Amino acid sequence: MIPPLPFEPEPGLKPEVLGFFDKATNTISYIVKDPASDACAVIDSVMDFDHAAGRITYESADRLIGTIRDNGWRLEWIIETHVHADHLSGAPYIQQQLGGKLGIGENIIIVQDTFGKVFNEGTEFQRDGSQFDRLFADGDSYRIGTMTAHVMHTPGHTPACMTHVIGDAAFVGDTLFMPDGGSARADFPGGDARVLYRSSKRVLRLPEETRLFICHDYGPNGRDIAWETTVGSERQHNIHLKDGVSEDEFVKMRETRDATLSMPRLILPSLQVNMRAGEIPKDSDGRPMLKLPINAL
């Protein structure tokens, strides 16, 4: 059963959206601006990580910060659509520079419990989501200036995935890709292909003209990187989820495909950092330190 939308869409509201592509991780971060005020939000920011050197830098986050400062905007929210497994979040750095509240789906506690065990984090690691300022439930809303942002739970890729709908713009995280990219994998702990199908179809119940903003793009078949599509285009052209594809067909395709995929290159550092709201864990001496569990995934 496809869950109904937990809010009434507002297609007449058209926020300004700026996308920032991070080539190293194929991630798109967004600034969402209220056209009626100086308020804005950041969605799915990136912290730069040199895996071989274990070095953190902030060029990607600084692009967002610079744009907000140069325009005299006011950052009210820093949103994570889910706990990313392919890039590290730049949220704490951005919050230190510009303020704003950090929000994620309430099922972050499930992710924290699962991966707290994988990384043997011990009792000092809080598994209650308290690292974030707001935990969103299905149907929740929040304000960005004069705009109301609506949140709906869209699990399947991870248990904590949420889609944020602001007027005619929906930020879908990894639930959907561009039409020629299809859908996200569903084989991480807590993932479920059948649940992903239902979540995706729920997003596609939004008005056909709704703009969908994608978290990752890999330029299939050599096309240019893109990150904006529409509900109507997805329903007509998405190679995995277009109208007419049944739930059973999708599940068979997704599970077969997922069995061939390797783990994302940055999954181990990403999960440790992102389940802490972007903070890097520290060892007993207070030094930033990441773990490398063997045969854990």
Side-chain angles (χ1 to χ4, degrees), residues 176 179 182 197 200-201 204 231-247 249-250:
L176 286 163
Y197 178 89
S200 300
K201 291 296 185 179
L204 297 180
V231 167
S233 182
E234 292 283 312
R235 290 185 60 176
Q236 187 174 359
H237 300 296
N238 186 287
I239 59 173
H240 296 164
L241 288 156
K242 63 187 175 183
D243 289 354
V245 175
S246 73
E247 183 173 314
E249 288 172 331
F250 175 82

Side-chain angles (χ1 to χ4, degrees), residues 21 25-28 86 174 177-178 181 215-226 264:
F21 179 66
T25 62
N26 289 83
T27 302
I28 301 95
D86 40 27
D174 286 4
F177 290 163
M178 295 297 290
C215 188
H216 295 287
D217 188 63
Y218 302 93
N221 300 312
R223 72 151 166 75
D224 292 341
I225 297 296

Side-chain angles (χ1 to χ4, degrees), residues 113-125:
D113 184 63
T114 298
F115 290 104
K117 295 171 184 174
V118 169
F119 294 108
N120 193 26
E121 293 296 351
T123 57
E124 68 275 7
F125 172 55

Side-chain angles (χ1 to χ4, degrees), residues 108-119 127 159 189-190 275:
I108 178 63
I109 62 175
I110 296 175
V111 177
Q112 289 176 329
D113 184 63
T114 298
F115 290 104
K117 295 171 184 174
V118 169
F119 294 108
R127 295 164 169 83
M275 69 181 183

Side-chain angles (χ1 to χ4, degrees), residues 3-296:
L5 296 176
F7 56 87
E8 188 67 32
E10 302 175 84
L13 172 62
K14 300 184 182 298
E16 301 173 23
V17 180
L18 298 178
F20 298 78
F21 179 66
D22 179 64
K23 185 176 180 180
T25 62
N26 289 83
T27 302
I28 301 95
S29 303
Y30 295 99
I31 297 174
V32 189
K33 164 70 168 49
D34 176 16
S37 75
D38 62 359
C40 68
V42 163
I43 298 179
D44 290 336
S45 63
V46 174
M47 177 168 59
D48 302 286
F49 181 57
D50 183 336
H51 197 206
R55 184 174 296 114
I56 296 292
T57 53
Y58 298 98
E59 290 88 350
S60 295
D62 282 334
R63 290 168 63 198
L64 304 175
I65 292 168
T67 299
I68 292 170
R69 283 179 169 163
D70 290 348
N71 286 283
W73 296 339
R74 174 170 44 87
L75 183 62
E76 294 192 340
W77 286 94
I78 306 167
I79 298 298
E80 301 288 355
T81 56
H82 63 293
V83 175
H84 305 275
D86 40 27
H87 72 269
L88 284 66
S89 170
Y93 176 77
I94 294 172
Q95 192 174 44
Q96 290 165 8
Q97 301 291 317
L98 297 176
K101 295 180 180 180
L102 178 55
I104 198 169
E106 62 180 354
N107 280 358
I108 178 63
I109 62 175
I110 296 175
V111 177
Q112 289 176 329
D113 184 63
T114 298
F115 290 104
K117 295 171 184 174
V118 169
F119 294 108
N120 193 26
E121 293 296 351
T123 57
E124 68 275 7
F125 172 55
Q126 298 298 310
R127 295 164 169 83
D128 57 2
S130 57
Q131 300 88 344
F132 297 83
D133 299 309
R134 174 82 180 270
L135 302 184
F136 297 112
D138 187 52
D140 277 354
S141 63
Y142 58 99
R143 302 283 287 180
I144 306 169
T146 66
M147 303 188 298
T148 298
H150 300 278
V151 187
M152 61 178 174
H153 189 209
T154 49
H157 174 61
T158 79
C161 289
M162 308 293 279
T163 292
H164 293 252
V165 182
I166 308 164
D168 75 334
F171 299 85
V172 299
D174 286 4
T175 300
L176 286 163
F177 290 163
M178 295 297 290
D180 58 349
S183 59
R185 65 195 297 166
D187 61 331
F188 295 152
D192 187 300
R194 196 167 297 277
V195 172
L196 179 60
Y197 178 89
R198 296 172 185 175
S199 292
S200 300
K201 291 296 185 179
R202 189 186 200 196
V203 172
L204 297 180
R205 281 185 164 176
L206 291 164
E208 288 198 354
E209 66 272 22
T210 303
R211 295 177 289 164
L212 300 182
F213 293 94
I214 311 300
C215 188
H216 295 287
D217 188 63
Y218 302 93
N221 300 312
R223 72 151 166 75
D224 292 341
I225 297 296
W227 52 77
E228 180 179 342
T229 181
T230 65
V231 167
S233 182
E234 292 283 312
R235 290 185 60 176
Q236 187 174 359
H237 300 296
N238 186 287
I239 59 173
H240 296 164
L241 288 156
K242 63 187 175 183
D243 289 354
V245 175
S246 73
E247 183 173 314
D248 287 342
E249 288 172 331
F250 175 82
V251 170
K252 181 179 179 180
M253 176 283 301
R254 189 68 266 169
E255 291 181 348
T256 300
R257 181 176 175 83
D258 288 349
T260 71
L261 300 177
S262 58
M263 285 290 111
R265 182 175 60 90
L266 295 180
I267 186 170
L268 292 175
S270 293
L271 291 173
Q272 291 175 78
V273 169
N274 295 340
M275 69 181 183
R276 290 177 165 85
E279 296 288 352
I280 303 170
K282 294 179 173 60
D283 66 11
S284 58
D285 295 322
R287 298 174 299 179
M289 193 71 64
L290 296 167
K291 296 177 181 178
L292 185 65
I294 304 302
N295 295 331

